[in-house]
Amino acid sequence: MWSISSCQDGSGDKKGALGSNIAEKVYVAPGEHDEFYAFVSGGFSGQLAVYGLPSGRLFRVIPVFSVDAEKAYGFNEETKPMLETSYGFVPWDDSHHPDLSQTNGEIDGRWCFINGNNTPRIARISLQTFETEEIIEIPNSAGNHSSSFVTENTEYVVAGTRFSVPAPQVDMPIAEYKGKFKGAMSFIKVNPEDGHMNLEFQIMMPGFNYDLAHPGRGKSHGWMFFSTYNTEEAHTLLEVNASQNDKDFIAAVNWKKAEEYMAAGKFKEMPADYRHNVYDESTHSATSNKMTTVKVLDPTELPGLVYFLPTPKSPHGCDVDPSGEFIIGSGKLSASLTAHSFPKMLAAIESESFDGEAYGIPILKYEDVVGGIVEQAGLGPLHTEFDGKGNAYTTFFISSEVVKWKLGTWEVVDRQPTYYSVGHLMIPGGNSRKPFGKYLLAMNKITKDRYLPTGPELTQSAQLFDISGDKMQLLLDFPTVGEPHYAAGLPASLITENSKKYYKLEENNHPYAIKSESEAKVVREGNVVHIYMTTIRSHFAPDNIEGVKVGDMVYFHVTNLEQDFDVPHGIGVIGANTSELLIMPGQTETFVWNPKKVGVWPFYCTDFCSALHQEMQGYVRVSPADSNIELTWSLDDE
Ligand code: K7E
Ligand code: CUA
């Protein structure tokens, strides 16, 4: 049998991937499956992309915060409520940080969470259906960046604000920022049964910028760590004015303590305006609920809730090792990495060894809490992940490399260049007690010459490294959707067994669902027309409709009667000001059509579903607004 490894013939003159067994390491033969899923943020696309590793094959782009005409997300009546916010319908966002649900600190394969950065929101995606099931807006927040990070039993997903703002919002001079603007840290409780989210409380922090967060785990379970910058509280030219302080902070938040304060009623109830949108799998429809209050904890009045750990030079990443002992802060303007020690932090808190306070929040002494420093590791450190074997891997944006170092000895043991300017990196399970330290995915901001040119904008890129040996080995480049910031990965086996194959028709509770062709009908209510339609290979029922008039609001409620894996049907109608529908087996979806012109107008199936897919079509006769044509419908003239 022919094998790629036969290229490894010892002749020594083969270049690139064929010069070794690298190709074999990423080669997933036709029909074979990848070992890992990678959920990669879509950045300014607002979506979440699903890749297989090691192949780098793109399986799906899950629409989350942005409309997606391919899947009718945000276009059909059922999902429009998902994108409702307190600002109205918002069809776009910027998504940075996916994180996966955990049980006992291990990835459990149930849900993926991701943040909407611009209009602050958190979404929950089902890993059974790969659909966005829930979006909650975050009030008092602006630039929802230190988000969405999950605690070790998925008790909470957190959302820290990047920009501090007046909270509640008020018309005031920008120059009066200092001391008046606030930084809300939101703790969203996750129901362990169904994943439903609830904004449990907010901690109203000083007006710094809160950048990244990671949860404590193991010995530090019960704490959440947030990196801060702009502790100067500058409001203009931050590139200069927010780089004055030698050290900013990592904020250590004791959320178990917060729970005690909540239980003791030490919160204030604040008016707030935000939306909570939930998709119901049984009705195949989302509802948007208006929320009006939020419970707020004030850390300046509640001792033991928050401590500040001084951390050099505008830290960006804030990462916690698998044991929960070390919290890594990466100062963007520093060449070294700071590893704070959780046990040392507890001892310093115990002895009340403080270096003053900021707005009533104790600042711990730097020397007391530092557990180790990785000296001169590179330029522009950003993010760190772990392999579970005592090694950490940090990305350096400016020197464009991944650096491997050892926890505890703090020595650099390997470095590999990235192409180019890496941001986050991801090791499957890297944000958990149990990483799967076989591959590392670096996500790069700039690609320059790595791919064929595509005009002024070039794709951004992921690079896969094998980290199973002492030295990292670059295996693969693959292009990404939007700008990949963070990613989360897990072994495929945690998802595949529970993956949904189709929706059961008998469980379909959509108010306009019909369960057989004999129930197909068209109903007029004034100038609103409801078409109850079905699809099955390879026809619509009904497929001829007459009596629709110009100016009507025509709702196509289409139920896909198929009860088989991988048989969606689509529908599009000429001139509709919306997208197609792409209806999964057993599902009902709706779009609205406003016929504007008299005539006979076709509709058709958009998904090549069978040998007779091209026959899957129908007509709607549209008569003048004052016509007396009777409303009729039929299939095969019956
Ligand atoms: Cu470093 Cu938004 Cu996580 Cu991008 S952030 S790199
Ligand atoms: Cu149904 Cu094509």
Side-chain angles (χ1 to χ4, degrees), residues 355-370:
D355 197 2
E357 41 93 15
Y359 294 102
I361 297 169
I363 301 171
L364 298 166
K365 289 199 182 111
Y366 176 72
E367 312 74 55
D368 287 355
V369 293
V370 170

mmCIF file of all heavy atoms in Angstrom, residues 355-370:
data_model
loop_
_atom_site.group_PDB
_atom_site.id
_atom_site.type_symbol
_atom_site.label_atom_id
_atom_site.label_comp_id
_atom_site.label_asym_id
_atom_site.label_seq_id
_atom_site.Cartn_x
_atom_site.Cartn_y
_atom_site.Cartn_z
ATOM 1 N N ASP A 355 0.023 46.170 50.787
ATOM 2 C CA ASP A 355 0.819 47.258 50.245
ATOM 3 C C ASP A 355 -0.139 48.408 49.914
ATOM 4 O O ASP A 355 -0.191 48.889 48.793
ATOM 5 C CB ASP A 355 1.518 46.743 48.972
ATOM 6 C CG ASP A 355 2.672 47.638 48.572
ATOM 7 O OD1 ASP A 355 2.943 48.617 49.290
ATOM 8 O OD2 ASP A 355 3.284 47.352 47.524
ATOM 9 N N GLY A 356 -0.966 48.749 50.893
ATOM 10 C CA GLY A 356 -1.954 49.799 50.675
ATOM 11 C C GLY A 356 -3.234 49.237 50.076
ATOM 12 O O GLY A 356 -3.469 48.015 50.110
ATOM 13 N N GLU A 357 -4.023 50.132 49.521
ATOM 14 C CA GLU A 357 -5.286 49.697 48.930
ATOM 15 C C GLU A 357 -5.634 50.594 47.753
ATOM 16 O O GLU A 357 -5.077 51.677 47.607
ATOM 17 C CB GLU A 357 -6.405 49.697 49.979
ATOM 18 C CG GLU A 357 -6.409 50.888 50.941
ATOM 19 C CD GLU A 357 -7.275 52.059 50.500
ATOM 20 O OE1 GLU A 357 -8.112 51.876 49.593
ATOM 21 O OE2 GLU A 357 -7.082 53.153 51.047
ATOM 22 N N ALA A 358 -6.509 50.126 46.925
ATOM 23 C CA ALA A 358 -7.031 50.926 45.817
ATOM 24 C C ALA A 358 -8.544 50.932 45.954
ATOM 25 O O ALA A 358 -9.163 49.866 45.897
ATOM 26 C CB ALA A 358 -6.609 50.319 44.477
ATOM 27 N N TYR A 359 -9.111 52.085 46.174
ATOM 28 C CA TYR A 359 -10.564 52.215 46.381
ATOM 29 C C TYR A 359 -11.054 51.223 47.435
ATOM 30 O O TYR A 359 -12.083 50.573 47.277
ATOM 31 C CB TYR A 359 -11.313 52.015 45.070
ATOM 32 C CG TYR A 359 -11.044 53.100 44.061
ATOM 33 C CD1 TYR A 359 -10.168 52.892 43.006
ATOM 34 C CD2 TYR A 359 -11.662 54.355 44.177
ATOM 35 C CE1 TYR A 359 -9.913 53.896 42.079
ATOM 36 C CE2 TYR A 359 -11.407 55.359 43.249
ATOM 37 C CZ TYR A 359 -10.529 55.125 42.203
ATOM 38 O OH TYR A 359 -10.285 56.112 41.300
ATOM 39 N N GLY A 360 -10.264 51.061 48.506
ATOM 40 C CA GLY A 360 -10.696 50.194 49.611
ATOM 41 C C GLY A 360 -10.423 48.718 49.397
ATOM 42 O O GLY A 360 -10.710 47.906 50.271
ATOM 43 N N ILE A 361 -9.845 48.375 48.233
ATOM 44 C CA ILE A 361 -9.535 46.958 47.979
ATOM 45 C C ILE A 361 -8.056 46.728 48.287
ATOM 46 O O ILE A 361 -7.188 47.425 47.743
ATOM 47 C CB ILE A 361 -9.856 46.589 46.522
ATOM 48 C CG1 ILE A 361 -11.372 46.757 46.282
ATOM 49 C CG2 ILE A 361 -9.397 45.178 46.189
ATOM 50 C CD1 ILE A 361 -11.786 46.678 44.835
ATOM 51 N N PRO A 362 -7.739 45.768 49.178
ATOM 52 C CA PRO A 362 -6.340 45.574 49.592
ATOM 53 C C PRO A 362 -5.441 45.163 48.419
ATOM 54 O O PRO A 362 -5.829 44.334 47.590
ATOM 55 C CB PRO A 362 -6.412 44.441 50.615
ATOM 56 C CG PRO A 362 -7.847 44.302 50.980
ATOM 57 C CD PRO A 362 -8.658 44.840 49.847
ATOM 58 N N ILE A 363 -4.248 45.776 48.387
ATOM 59 C CA ILE A 363 -3.220 45.394 47.412
ATOM 60 C C ILE A 363 -2.199 44.543 48.154
ATOM 61 O O ILE A 363 -1.617 44.986 49.148
ATOM 62 C CB ILE A 363 -2.534 46.653 46.827
ATOM 63 C CG1 ILE A 363 -3.572 47.561 46.152
ATOM 64 C CG2 ILE A 363 -1.438 46.246 45.854
ATOM 65 C CD1 ILE A 363 -3.020 48.925 45.738
ATOM 66 N N LEU A 364 -1.986 43.325 47.673
ATOM 67 C CA LEU A 364 -0.998 42.450 48.300
ATOM 68 C C LEU A 364 0.393 42.890 47.868
ATOM 69 O O LEU A 364 0.551 43.556 46.844
ATOM 70 C CB LEU A 364 -1.268 41.002 47.911
ATOM 71 C CG LEU A 364 -2.643 40.492 48.392
ATOM 72 C CD1 LEU A 364 -3.011 39.180 47.710
ATOM 73 C CD2 LEU A 364 -2.647 40.308 49.899
ATOM 74 N N LYS A 365 1.405 42.494 48.650
ATOM 75 C CA LYS A 365 2.780 42.861 48.282
ATOM 76 C C LYS A 365 3.270 41.926 47.183
ATOM 77 O O LYS A 365 3.166 40.697 47.308
ATOM 78 C CB LYS A 365 3.692 42.742 49.506
ATOM 79 C CG LYS A 365 3.440 43.812 50.542
ATOM 80 C CD LYS A 365 4.639 43.947 51.478
ATOM 81 C CE LYS A 365 4.354 44.976 52.542
ATOM 82 N NZ LYS A 365 4.215 44.375 53.889
ATOM 83 N N TYR A 366 3.824 42.530 46.144
ATOM 84 C CA TYR A 366 4.313 41.771 44.994
ATOM 85 C C TYR A 366 5.227 40.623 45.443
ATOM 86 O O TYR A 366 5.043 39.467 45.057
ATOM 87 C CB TYR A 366 5.033 42.727 44.043
ATOM 88 C CG TYR A 366 5.690 42.082 42.854
ATOM 89 C CD1 TYR A 366 4.930 41.581 41.805
ATOM 90 C CD2 TYR A 366 7.083 41.988 42.766
ATOM 91 C CE1 TYR A 366 5.525 40.989 40.706
ATOM 92 C CE2 TYR A 366 7.686 41.396 41.674
ATOM 93 C CZ TYR A 366 6.917 40.898 40.647
ATOM 94 O OH TYR A 366 7.511 40.312 39.562
ATOM 95 N N GLU A 367 6.213 40.943 46.314
ATOM 96 C CA GLU A 367 7.185 39.934 46.745
ATOM 97 C C GLU A 367 6.497 38.785 47.494
ATOM 98 O O GLU A 367 6.980 37.652 47.491
ATOM 99 C CB GLU A 367 8.262 40.522 47.677
ATOM 100 C CG GLU A 367 8.907 41.806 47.209
ATOM 101 C CD GLU A 367 7.996 43.016 47.364
ATOM 102 O OE1 GLU A 367 7.493 43.284 48.470
ATOM 103 O OE2 GLU A 367 7.758 43.679 46.334
ATOM 104 N N ASP A 368 5.393 39.092 48.143
ATOM 105 C CA ASP A 368 4.710 38.063 48.933
ATOM 106 C C ASP A 368 3.966 37.042 48.080
ATOM 107 O O ASP A 368 3.715 35.926 48.531
ATOM 108 C CB ASP A 368 3.677 38.710 49.875
ATOM 109 C CG ASP A 368 4.341 39.423 51.036
ATOM 110 O OD1 ASP A 368 5.580 39.340 51.158
ATOM 111 O OD2 ASP A 368 3.608 40.071 51.812
ATOM 112 N N VAL A 369 3.565 37.474 46.898
ATOM 113 C CA VAL A 369 2.678 36.596 46.123
ATOM 114 C C VAL A 369 3.342 35.968 44.905
ATOM 115 O O VAL A 369 2.805 35.017 44.335
ATOM 116 C CB VAL A 369 1.394 37.356 45.679
ATOM 117 C CG1 VAL A 369 0.550 37.688 46.896
ATOM 118 C CG2 VAL A 369 1.714 38.593 44.877
ATOM 119 N N VAL A 370 4.495 36.485 44.508
ATOM 120 C CA VAL A 370 5.148 35.928 43.320
ATOM 121 C C VAL A 370 5.679 34.533 43.629
ATOM 122 O O VAL A 370 6.393 34.338 44.610
ATOM 123 C CB VAL A 370 6.290 36.839 42.844
ATOM 124 C CG1 VAL A 370 7.109 36.135 41.765
ATOM 125 C CG2 VAL A 370 5.719 38.121 42.289
#
